[in-house]
Amino acid sequence: MNISKQTIEKLYTTRNLSDEELLSLLACDTWDALLFSLADKVRRSVYGDAVYIRGLIEFSNFCKNNCYYCGIRAGNTGATRYRLSPEEILSCCKEGYRLGMRTFVLQSGEDPFYSDELLCHIITNIKSNFPDCAITLSVGEKSRESYQAYFDAGAARYLLRHEAAADALYNRLHPASMSASGRRQCLKDLKSIGYQVGAGFMVGAPFQTLSDLIHDLRFLQSLDPDMIGIGPYLTHSQTPLHMHENGSLALTLRLLAILRLMFPHALLPATTALATVAPDGREKGLKAGANVIMPNLSPVSVRQLYDIYENKNCTGAESAQCSDILRIQIEKAGYRMVTDIGNVKRPL
Ligand code: SAM
């Protein structure tokens, strides 16, 4: 079907479109400029010009899973593995705090070395040293009891991309031991415990069609998350899907703008993958509706080792230590860098 200016205005006013309209919109670049300017208008109406900064600590690249697209999958015997100790994680937080950060995102592969007890110890330790900071976890699929224990220890936010809402696509990207429904159940558990929850997916993942993306948008509508992380799929030579091309910058930006219009209150990161696929990807992401950046706070010696995809952008303004460069980039894009805790602003 043909997309008209009225369709875009309908998305802006009603925050929704039919499947058919969304499909056509995803396939068409004619309205990108209007989409981006409306997304910017909506983001400014909820969050002003703030871009929230979260310090990202990638504390282990060991993973028991074998996602077919991911460079740190268990089956990649060529990966150099590392783990950070609780003391090393805490010293990353100290550095972040010194730089003004008030949110720390602890991400890792699914690494059984970090028992619930050890993770709770790490969370409690960070909270007691930095009571004015928020802790976001992104450590994969766990039992409801484990999620509850982390929450009780002081983690208030959790990022778990659903990856693909369409079962058939999910099953082509993951081994049979993993399931889309299991992942969705985790997200529901996290929400019911009281976490601020982030879901999301890769754009241009191998085998992904535009109809798959409609499934993702509908799933997100049913979940109503606080954060939505999307970024282009990027290849890694040591994975079974290495022959597939990178996802596109253009489609990722269009989706970011659509997400901003459908979920005005959502915290939307301009991801490292976006900054990796194009040198100005992050700035373009902000202009398309993104309002979060997660600079890397991991020790410099391990940054390249957390290589879920190749050529990861983690040496320049990406790193937390280059916050002046980051600030200038954000200001050049027309926004303001904000290092405070930056909670989601849900309508009352
Ligand atoms: N283990 C945690 C989990 O399962 O959520 C967090 C770590 S996992 C590596 C973080 C995210 O990286 C995944 O949710 C996935 O979307 C993304 N990712 C993995 N491989 C990627 C690739 N080749 N290109 C782009 N993103 C990728």
Side-chain angles (χ1 to χ4, degrees), residues 63 65 69-72 107-110 138-141 159-161 163 183 200-202 231-236 273 306 308-309:
C63 191
N65 290 333
Y69 47 83
C70 183
I72 63 167
Q107 190 176 81
S108 69
E110 285 198 21
S138 179
V139 298
E141 294 179 41
L159 303 178
L160 184 80
R161 289 184 175 184
E163 309 296 1
R183 203 136 175 114
F201 54 89
M202 294 178 293
Y233 159 76
L234 299 170
T235 59
H236 191 297
Y306 196 85
I308 52 180
Y309 45 76

Side-chain angles (χ1 to χ4, degrees), residues 106-254:
L106 269 53
Q107 190 176 81
S108 69
E110 285 198 21
D111 182 357
F113 174 85
Y114 296 87
S115 61
D116 287 353
E117 203 187 345
L118 180 54
L119 267 179
C120 288
H121 164 73
I122 291 168
I123 296 163
T124 315
N125 208 4
I126 298 174
K127 275 307 261 191
S128 62
N129 276 274
F130 308 106
D132 53 336
C133 292
I135 298 176
T136 307
L137 288 183
S138 179
V139 298
E141 294 179 41
K142 304 277 178 176
S143 67
R144 194 181 197 288
E145 292 67 37
S146 299
Y147 288 147
Q148 185 70 58
Y150 311 150
F151 187 78
D152 294 343
R157 305 172 183 166
Y158 204 104
L159 303 178
L160 184 80
R161 289 184 175 184
H162 64 280
E163 309 296 1
D167 289 352
L169 176 61
Y170 188 94
N171 293 339
R172 292 187 81 173
L173 298 173
H174 301 91
S177 53
M178 302 175 74
S179 76
S181 58
R183 203 136 175 114
R184 288 194 296 260
Q185 185 57 48
C186 286
L187 283 162
K188 284 175 197 152
D189 289 344
L190 288 161
K191 251 200 116 152
S192 70
I193 289 169
Y195 281 95
Q196 286 181 40
V197 169
F201 54 89
M202 294 178 293
V203 180
F207 319 114
Q208 184 186 65
T209 63
L210 294 183
S211 311
D212 289 321
L213 292 171
I214 306 300
H215 273 90
D216 290 317
L217 295 175
R218 297 301 179 214
F219 168 69
L220 290 170
Q221 282 181 316
S222 68
L223 181 72
D224 191 22
D226 304 288
M227 302 165 268
I228 304 173
I230 66 163
Y233 159 76
L234 299 170
T235 59
H236 191 297
S237 59
Q238 301 304 313
T239 66
L241 298 176
H242 64 90
M243 71 298 279
H244 290 267
E245 280 178 17
N246 286 348
S248 96
L249 172 69
L251 184 58
T252 309
L253 295 175
R254 197 171 306 138

